[in-house]
């Protein structure tokens, strides 16, 4: 079945630096790739997503890139701030009725 | 928009008791998902509904788990009887098209 691998599992950066989290997926039919941010004690929050017909999408300090040939996608956070510290999850889906397959999560720590 | 509403936020119960978790999805959304999150297994999809109809319940761990969606604005996840290994955070997510929005979760502790 579909599998999503996420790396690294933990990431520590200095405030102001960039952070990159990478995911690979196994099912070439996947066409939707969201990223979620989960803060302690809260539910995952959708922060950005990308569909298979585009290669890159930006929203202020965050961006996502997609390489369908290699079956991998990445989250880029620039000018990191302490409030970016959280667990980030990538996911993949091949239908618009749901069934997201999640990666294992990356704990990002931004040091002031 | 109130977002997805889950109740209770915390539940502590003894092994063998019945537990019912509740979810109110975002108005206008047509999909609803129940997830379980643990340190060991991460985020697992238990079951999802589309237009109130269960589509895929392959993630439901055992017959002790059941879920219903009697109408577009309410869903329940029931565990009967509960066991200590059911302790986890249970999330409900509401969806429209590709996007899913999560509720705050119910932290279940079974002693």
């Amino acid at each position: 079945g579909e599998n999503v691998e996420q790396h690294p599992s933990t990431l520590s950066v200095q405030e102001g630096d960039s952070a990159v989290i990478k995911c690979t997926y196994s099912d070439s039919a996947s066409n939707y790739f969201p990223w979620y941010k989960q803060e302690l004690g809260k539910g995952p929050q959708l922060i950005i997503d990308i569909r298979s017909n585009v290669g890159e999408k930006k929203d202020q300090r965050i961006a996502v890139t997609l390489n369908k040939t290699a079956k991998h996608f990445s989250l880029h956070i620039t000018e990191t701030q302490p409030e970016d510290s959280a667990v980030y999850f990538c996911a993949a889906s091949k239908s618009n009725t749901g069934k997201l397959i999640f990666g294992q999560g990356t704990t990002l720590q931004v040091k002031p | 928009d109130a977002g997805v509403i889950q109740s209770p936020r915390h539940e502590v119960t003894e092994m063998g008791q019945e537990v019912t978790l509740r979810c109110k999805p975002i108005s206008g959304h047509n999909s609803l998902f129940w997830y379980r999150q643990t340190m060991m297994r991460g985020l697992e999809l238990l079951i999802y509904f589309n237009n109130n109809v269960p589509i895929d319940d392959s993630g439901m761990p055992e017959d002790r788990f059941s879920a219903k969606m009697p109408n577009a604005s309410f869903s329940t996840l029931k565990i009967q009887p509960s066991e200590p290994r059911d302790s986890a955070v249970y999330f409900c997510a509401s969806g429209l098209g590709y996007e899913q929005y999560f509720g705050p979760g119910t932290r279940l502790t079974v002693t």
Side-chain angles (χ1 to χ4, degrees), chain A residues 31-32 36 38 41-46 49 51 89 93-100 102-104, chain B residues 9 31 33 35 37 43 45 48-50 56 58 91 96-105 107:
Chain A
N31 59 2
Y32 175 66
Y36 286 84
Q38 186 175 22
K42 297 184 178 180
Q45 177 191 5
L46 179 64
D49 56 15
R51 301 192 188 181
F89 292 94
S93 173
K94 59 181 179 180
S95 77
N96 66 351
T97 56
K99 196 138 191 182
L100 291 174
F102 283 87
Q104 298 83 352
Chain B
R9 293 295 312 277
S31 297
F33 308 82
Y35 291 88
Q37 186 176 42
L43 265 168
L45 177 65
Y48 75 94
F49 298 82
N50 191 245
D56 185 346
S58 59
F91 289 105
L96 183 64
Y98 285 95
E99 299 176 357
Q100 293 184 31
Y101 298 89
F102 282 73
R107 181 173 294 277

Side-chain angles (χ1 to χ4, degrees), chain B residues 15 32 41 44 50 54-55 57 59-60 72 78 95 100 102 104:
Chain B
M15 182 174 63
L32 185 138
R41 300 173 70 89
E44 302 175 275
N50 191 245
I55 302 299
D57 66 354
M60 296 285 261
K78 188 175 291 187
Q100 293 184 31
F102 282 73

Side-chain angles (χ1 to χ4, degrees), chain A residues 43-86:
Chain A
Q45 177 191 5
L46 179 64
I47 57 172
I48 195 169
D49 56 15
I50 192 168
R51 301 192 188 181
S52 57
N53 57 346
V54 298
E56 183 176 4
K57 184 177 179 181
K58 285 185 179 179
D59 183 3
Q60 299 181 355
R61 294 186 298 107
I62 60 174
V64 58
T65 59
L66 171 65
N67 183 328
K68 285 209 71 178
T69 302
K71 290 190 286 187
H72 68 69
F73 56 112
S74 301
L75 177 71
H76 304 252
I77 306 173
T78 58
E79 300 172 26
T80 54
Q81 301 167 2
E83 50 265 38
D84 294 329
S85 297

